[in-house]
Amino acid sequence: MKQVIFLGVLAAWVLFGSAASFGGEIIGQLSDLVQPEVEAFVDITSAWVEKDGSSLTFVLELRGNVPDPADFTEPDTGMTYIWLVDADNNPNTGQSWVGNDFNVRVVVSNNPNWAGGFVDVVGAMGGGGSGTVQVADNLVKITIEKSQIGSPDYFSWRSDAAYWVNGPTQSYNGVTPESGFAQLLAYGVLYDLNQQQFYAEPNFIAYQCAEENPEEFYEIMHQTNFNSSGTDPIFLSLDQKYPEQFSCQVLAQAAGAAGIRQVRNTARFDVEWPDSPVFGISKVSSFYSFVFTLYGPEGSGPIPPETFRMKFSHDYSVFGSDLEGQARGWSMAQFLIVQMDPLEQKGVWVLQAEGCNNTYFSKNEEIVDLADLPNGALEYGVPYGANMLLINEAQAPVPTNYAEAIADSTTMVSIEVAPLPGDTDGDGDVDLADVARLAEHWLMSR
């Protein structure tokens, strides 16, 4: 058989070639049990992913050779070979129970309108398009750019294959029970999305002094709420006016949001010329925790310096003003890393801001080398728990006839891999593609 590679969106059929490899580095693979009752050309024995620069080649190895579609006598006959890609590594998103965000698909058919290589977007991530297909003996390959599956640092996938005639399926492998895992970067951070917690709790309370005796007071406003979830981000908001028919005496608001490596709070408490003095507080706490591990070519042991960086930020606006000079807006952000087994605190960071009879807004940020922590460097392959806590308070702590207080802030955490020297194409390693790019730049600068 002659070797033919078909390209992109112009391809309408699959042609056959030799079993020569595209020559990429294998970055992930899986195997599947033999099923004698299934047609050999759709019975998957193994699947893997190769990386070559920014290109990815998805490969299926079958128990038998793929038939030439020209040999089928029935019209609209062919085979579908598919890789179900979970690019955001979240089983709760995407198309189905496998959490696939993209379907990388090869169709071999005697109908030229159906045949080709495709990347179907079935989740919320950007990507898609077509690919370069090669079918040779019992191997099916499709090469795409990593941007077509959202340019993930790593992803998991499962595979399937089916043989169909005039539409109905005649034989199929079934989705592989095993999931493959592919790492696109030499160094990276793996997040365990089965171990995360979102929590938000807004509340407020206000008291008004008795007109006949300022030493006595009674409650005029009080609300509290909370929500905790191990799967979904949370947003909770409370607000109330007193009296309800007026908008300018007492106003309390508290809103909290917990998302993926980000929490945000807003607390507000205003008093404007009530019948008698008022004091109170709006407060909101938001919390997010997750589990992560680090990987690299060294495999195990302490991570090297200047490779993994943790960035912790606290973006805030706090304000307080009242007749007594006591009203305040306050915000505190905390980030904690612990080793889970055995339990050991690895580091804690706290950022806070207060505005009392003044306004402060800024963004505090800390960048920490995770190889330089108080209790020693983090290690490859060890699960670590990370906890984010954000607390905001807007308070008029003493009875007053006029007060404004607000605390609005956002905290974000990211764990990043420092750019590798010489990695000119940003694919996480230094290879011949980087050397070629450097040579090209050198020649163009001459």
Side-chain angles (χ1 to χ4, degrees), residues 167-221:
T169 299
Q170 306 298 310
S171 182
Y172 64 96
N173 183 89
V175 176
T176 55
E178 179 184 346
S179 177
F181 180 77
Q183 297 177 358
L184 276 69
L185 303 181
Y187 295 90
V189 186
L190 306 179
Y191 297 99
D192 186 351
L193 298 182
N194 294 316
Q195 297 190 67
Q196 56 183 351
Q197 190 71 33
F198 303 87
Y199 180 86
E201 182 177 7
N203 60 83
F204 53 76
I205 191 166
Y207 300 92
Q208 187 169 29
C209 297
E211 292 188 50
E212 62 277 7
N213 184 1
E215 299 297 320
E216 296 181 1
F217 53 87
Y218 55 92
E219 180 181 301
I220 57 172
M221 299 168 63

Side-chain angles (χ1 to χ4, degrees), residues 245-440:
Q245 64 269 33
F246 295 99
S247 61
C248 58
Q249 287 200 357
V250 182
L251 171 66
Q253 293 179 322
I260 301 294
R261 291 181 289 283
Q262 173 178 299
V263 286
R264 176 174 175 80
N265 290 340
T266 298
R268 181 178 178 183
F269 189 84
D270 292 349
V271 178
E272 186 169 344
W273 312 117
D275 297 333
S276 58
V278 171
F279 63 98
I281 183 173
S282 290
K283 181 177 179 179
V284 57
S285 301
S286 296
F287 175 84
Y288 173 63
S289 68
F290 58 95
V291 174
F292 70 95
T293 58
L294 307 176
Y295 70 83
E298 295 88 346
S300 61
I303 61 173
E306 299 181 359
T307 302
F308 293 94
R309 302 178 300 191
M310 184 272 290
K311 185 182 295 184
F312 171 47
S313 67
H314 180 216
D315 188 357
Y316 62 86
S317 174
V318 290
F319 168 76
S321 176
D322 72 337
L323 296 177
E324 284 70 31
Q326 299 293 314
R328 70 169 193 151
W330 176 79
S331 180
M332 186 275 291
Q334 176 182 285
F335 184 63
L336 172 70
I337 296 179
V338 297
Q339 180 176 302
M340 300 180 67
D341 187 17
L343 187 63
E344 178 187 3
Q345 180 174 300
K346 303 299 292 186
V348 60
W349 299 266
V350 177
L351 299 173
Q352 57 182 323
E354 180 179 38
C356 185
N357 277 307
N358 209 332
T359 300
Y360 295 95
F361 55 92
S362 185
K363 180 175 183 177
N364 287 339
E365 184 175 86
E366 288 193 22
I367 299 177
V368 179
D369 185 348
L370 293 181
D372 186 24
L373 298 184
N375 294 326
L378 301 190
E379 297 189 12
Y380 291 119
V382 175
Y384 295 99
N387 302 324
M388 300 173 61
L389 173 65
L390 182 64
I391 301 174
N392 282 27
E393 293 180 358
Q395 184 178 17
V398 297
T400 182
N401 289 309
Y402 180 83
E404 294 181 68
I406 189 167
D408 182 81
S409 61
T410 301
T411 292
M412 294 183 289
V413 170
S414 63
I415 301 174
E416 304 170 347
V417 178
L420 295 176
D423 181 17
T424 59
D425 59 6
D427 67 351
D429 57 19
V430 180
D431 53 19
L432 290 176
D434 299 301
V435 176
R437 177 170 289 194
L438 283 173
E440 179 184 358

Side-chain angles (χ1 to χ4, degrees), residues 213-257:
N213 184 1
E215 299 297 320
E216 296 181 1
F217 53 87
Y218 55 92
E219 180 181 301
I220 57 172
M221 299 168 63
H222 185 198
Q223 284 194 44
T224 185
N225 198 359
F226 71 91
N227 194 358
S228 180
S229 166
T231 56
D232 300 316
I234 292 170
F235 172 77
L236 288 179
S237 180
L238 298 174
D239 65 85
Q240 186 175 344
K241 298 174 182 178
Y242 177 83
E244 291 184 4
Q245 64 269 33
F246 295 99
S247 61
C248 58
Q249 287 200 357
V250 182
L251 171 66
Q253 293 179 322

